[in-house]
Amino acid sequence: MSFTCFSVSAQEKKTYQVGQIKTSFGEILFWLYDETPNHKASFVKLANEGYWDSLTFNRVIKDFVAQGGCPDTPAGFSDSPYLLKPEFNKNIRHVYGAVASGRDNNPEMLSAGCQFYIVQNKKGLARLDDKYTIFGQVFKGMDLVDKIVSVKTDSTNTPLVPIKLDVNVINMSAADLKKNGYMAIPK
């Protein structure tokens, strides 16, 4: 009697949660930081519930950000499903492609669960560091974000043609991450 053994390493089986935004421009993929666990969990929860799938990139400003989710209102984020305490991290900065949570001017700097933005300024936005929580980093699709912030907008920076969101969390192996341009493959 003979047996054939197949061994697959734990690294090959392990998958990582990745944020995915599909628009008419194409697919944007971003790493979700474990260092901001509450914001990551919030994003995963709302994406899995399809929360953003009826919403748009509602504010786009070249050399600043592409912002999506619930729109800013005079009442602030009273329609957000909840607010999150800040999770600032000195090692995670507002660099080109950073994904962060929006907020209004509340003194506790609570993030709105309903809104996120992607930094489009190639020099980054250091003035936002330690004021808004960053929970991800785009590794594929910044060329699309560059196109999104260049569309024609109205006086409130809302695209004249709505850019609908299809937001998901997908699981990717280390090999999938590398194939899609993610260089800091986790161990």
Side-chain angles (χ1 to χ4, degrees):
M1 185 184 247
S2 101
F3 292 96
T4 305
C5 288
F6 294 98
S7 175
V8 178
S9 74
Q11 182 70 14
E12 290 174 19
K13 286 183 181 178
K14 184 168 175 67
T15 60
Y16 304 90
Q17 291 181 312
V18 171
Q20 177 194 54
I21 302 170
K22 294 191 286 186
T23 72
S24 57
F25 287 80
E27 176 187 62
I28 301 164
L29 296 176
F30 57 95
W31 182 256
L32 294 167
Y33 289 124
D34 290 333
E35 294 86 346
T36 54
N38 296 326
H39 284 72
K40 176 181 177 178
S42 171
F43 180 84
V44 170
K45 175 185 181 300
L46 293 177
N48 287 340
E49 291 174 356
Y51 178 84
W52 288 292
D53 294 351
S54 64
L55 300 173
T56 63
F57 273 114
N58 61 321
R59 182 175 174 234
V60 299
I61 304 171
K62 189 168 179 58
D63 294 322
F64 187 52
V65 300
Q67 179 177 296
C70 60
D72 293 328
T73 66
F77 293 107
S78 57
D79 289 338
S80 182
Y82 47 78
L83 300 176
L84 298 162
K85 290 183 181 178
E87 293 180 286
F88 304 137
N89 185 306
K90 295 287 182 199
N91 298 317
I92 302 173
R93 307 278 86 183
H94 278 84
V95 297
Y96 180 68
V99 182
S101 289
R103 67 172 179 81
D104 58 16
N105 289 324
N106 70 79
E108 297 89 19
M109 295 191 215
L110 301 173
S111 301
C114 65
Q115 190 181 90
F116 62 87
Y117 61 88
I118 301 170
V119 173
Q120 190 273 329
N121 188 307
K122 288 188 177 10
K123 295 180 181 178
L125 295 170
R127 72 178 188 269
L128 302 181
D129 290 342
D130 303 317
K131 293 181 178 84
Y132 296 82
T133 298
I134 303 161
F135 63 89
Q137 178 65 42
V138 173
F139 60 88
K140 179 183 178 188
M142 279 307 295
D143 57 325
L144 306 176
V145 176
D146 291 342
K147 290 177 184 174
I148 289 168
V149 300
S150 296
V151 301
K152 291 188 180 197
T153 61
D154 66 14
S155 62
T156 65
N157 301 305
T158 302
L160 295 179
V161 176
I163 303 169
K164 294 181 181 178
L165 301 171
D166 178 359
V167 179
N168 307 286
V169 173
I170 59 175
N171 292 310
M172 297 181 84
S173 68
D176 292 334
L177 287 167
K178 188 174 182 180
K179 184 171 64 175
N180 282 283
Y182 189 72
M183 295 301 168
I185 304 300
K187 299 207 185 292

